[in-house]
Every structure is written in structure tokens, then in C-alpha cells.
Amino acid sequence: MDRLTSHFGVCPDLIKDLVLANRILAHHNVLDTFGHISARCHIRSKGIDEDCYLQATYHAPSLVHTQDIALFSVRTGESVDPEEQRKGPLERHIHAGLYRARPDVQAVLHCHAPMLVTYSVLANAGTMLQPVLHVGASAGRQIPIYEISDHFGHDTDLLVKTPELGDDLAKLFGSAVSMVLMRGHGATIASQSNVKDLVHKGIYAVINATIMRDATLLGAATGSTGVPRPLSNGEVEACGDWVSAVHRSWPAWVAELGLGKDESL
């Protein structure tokens, strides 16, 4: 962290929030050992004037510390620091591509939460994931599914690990889209606010999907022929901005990690 703050002028609090976000999302089983979250930042220091993002290097989210955070270029998806020798996440181009396509996006999450993967492989329109929970409305009314084979064939490993793939995925993130499912892979979620807001979106995206799954199964078990009733467009609009609620949730989520008072991140 020392080099990021002293050489590049990165805010220490942003680094700490990103570390905590990794651990909180792992604690809530939104991130497994391969998912990742990033935060946008613009660097104007030491002759550098570039749109960048902070992201942990190749570490499991539950084990991320401040010294594991590195700086990547939005333009290329590669490290900004010439002294950086550590390996970045294979799918860092998910983040770079989305930041390039959406200048308003401030944080990006990519996860493999099983409940979200489940909905990514269902092709029937009646089983498409939709917001059914008021605090899950931040995922937005439109939740498209990215099909990598549409442009890259049926022999890929489904990973978004090149700039071209990152740009292709980002095309689904129109102005009204904040979450895209990725068939057989996971989900990518964006926040126009900050890392804390994105943690809220990620946790409640999984909870919302679980509720929709349970409602679907309950309906089938009781002979119902309908699908779970989603929130209306107006309800999504009214419920969708939960940024202010994060100030209540964040301290509780941090406390769940059981960090000692003097424990270093």
C-alpha cells in the first residue's frame, strides 16, 4: 500500500475499503476463491495522468491484504506500475472493459455465486432472473445473460481474459443495466457509486436470486402455474437507490469479519 499512496497518490481509505469488500463478499459466499472486485481511481502523479482501477493481485478474496492491491490501467487492463511483478487476475479485462464502456461506473464485481450461475443457464424466459425483493432492486429491472459463444465460438473456456472479450461483455451494460449474468460462469455487477454500494448489490443479488428460486419451487409444489411476481418498473426505480443504507450495513458486515481492534489489514 505504501507505494500506491506515496508514489501514485492513491487514497488509503479506498485501498482499505477494497480489502474489506473482498473479505466481506467472501464471508457472505458471494466471492469464492476466484472472484474479484475493483474500484476506479484517476491517477495524476509522477508524470502519470491516467484512468485506472485498483484490484487485488492473484489472491483468494478472503486472504486479501492491503499489500495485495495493485493499480491497473483502464485503457489496457495491465499494470500501471513498471515495478509491479505480481500476477494480476486472469479476468481483469472484465473490469477494464466495463470501465472503458461506462465512464460513470466506479466499482466492478465479478463473482461465481452458485445461485447466480443457476439462472445463467436457464434459457426459458419464464425463469429469467428478475428483482423480487425490494433491497434486491439495485440489480435493475434488466438482467441480461452474456453468451460468449455468440461471437467467440463454442471452444472457449468461458473466461473473459482479453481486451476483446472484456469489450464484448461490456456491450450488454447499457445505461439501465447494472448486472449481467454470464452463462455457465457467473455474474458481473457494476456500481455507479462506490465499493461499499457494490458490496450491497452483490450480497442482495444472491439473496434476491435465492428468494426467486424458493418462490418458484414453492409455487410448483403447491400446483401454481405462475412465475414469481417481480417488482414493477416503478418499484425498481423507487427502491433501486440503496446507497444511503450502506452506511448502516457496512459497519455490521465489517464486524462479522471478527477483526481485532489493532489487527492490520
Side-chain angles (χ1 to χ4, degrees):
M1 182 172 75
D2 290 343
R3 181 168 171 80
L4 288 178
T5 55
S6 63
H7 190 81
F8 295 103
V10 177
C11 175
D13 288 341
L14 181 57
I15 297 172
K16 291 178 181 178
D17 284 348
L18 188 58
V19 170
L20 290 169
N22 273 276
R23 298 195 196 179
I24 290 168
L25 289 168
H27 181 74
H28 283 262
N29 297 314
V30 177
L31 288 176
D32 58 5
T33 58
F34 294 103
H36 27 82
I37 183 171
S38 67
R40 187 176 215 139
C41 61
H42 197 101
I43 301 299
R44 292 186 180 91
S45 178
K46 305 294 183 180
I48 297 174
D49 186 354
E50 187 164 358
D51 197 11
C52 300
Y53 61 99
L54 295 168
Q55 188 173 23
T57 50
Y58 200 71
H59 285 76
S62 62
L63 303 177
V64 167
H65 291 76
T66 54
Q67 66 265 29
D68 300 318
I69 304 299
L71 193 62
F72 297 89
S73 166
V74 166
R75 180 174 51 86
T76 66
E78 303 300 337
S79 175
V80 172
D81 189 349
E83 296 187 12
E84 181 61 73
Q85 301 296 320
R86 296 170 297 181
K87 182 179 180 181
L90 287 176
E91 294 191 287
R92 61 190 178 276
H93 292 289
I94 289 176
H95 305 256
L98 186 42
Y99 288 132
R100 284 194 296 270
R102 290 278 303 273
D104 59 322
V105 166
Q106 300 303 311
V108 174
L109 165 66
H110 172 62
C111 69
H112 310 129
M115 192 57 62
L116 298 180
V117 176
T118 297
Y119 279 97
S120 80
V121 298
L122 293 170
N124 189 324
T127 58
M128 294 288 286
L129 181 61
Q130 300 178 76
V132 295
L133 172 68
H134 67 322
V135 287
S138 58
R141 192 70 176 83
Q142 302 176 43
I143 306 175
I145 299 176
Y146 175 61
E147 179 50 71
I148 193 171
S149 66
D150 283 348
H151 298 115
F152 297 92
H154 297 277
D155 298 316
T156 73
D157 58 8
L158 304 185
L159 300 182
V160 178
K161 55 188 181 183
T162 67
E164 294 76 19
L165 285 162
D167 289 340
D168 194 51
L169 170 63
K171 291 175 183 176
L172 288 180
F173 280 90
S175 60
V177 175
S178 61
M179 179 165 77
V180 170
L181 301 181
M182 304 162 71
R183 192 262 305 165
H185 183 170
T188 296
I189 308 173
S191 170
Q192 296 171 268
S193 300
N194 52 49
V195 166
K196 294 179 181 180
D197 173 61
L198 186 56
V199 168
H200 179 279
K201 278 183 166 67
I203 290 174
Y204 282 102
V206 174
I207 292 173
N208 179 79
T210 303
I211 291 172
M212 186 170 179
R213 187 276 312 269
D214 290 349
T216 302
L217 293 176
L218 182 60
T222 56
S224 172
T225 58
V227 296
R229 179 177 176 178
L231 303 182
S232 69
N233 289 338
E235 289 168 339
V236 170
E237 183 69 25
C239 298
D241 187 6
W242 283 84
V243 176
S244 60
V246 173
H247 299 299
R248 177 176 178 174
S249 306
W250 185 262
W253 290 332
V254 173
E256 289 173 356
L257 299 177
L259 298 172
K261 183 178 180 182
D262 300 319
E263 185 174 347
S264 173
L265 291 175

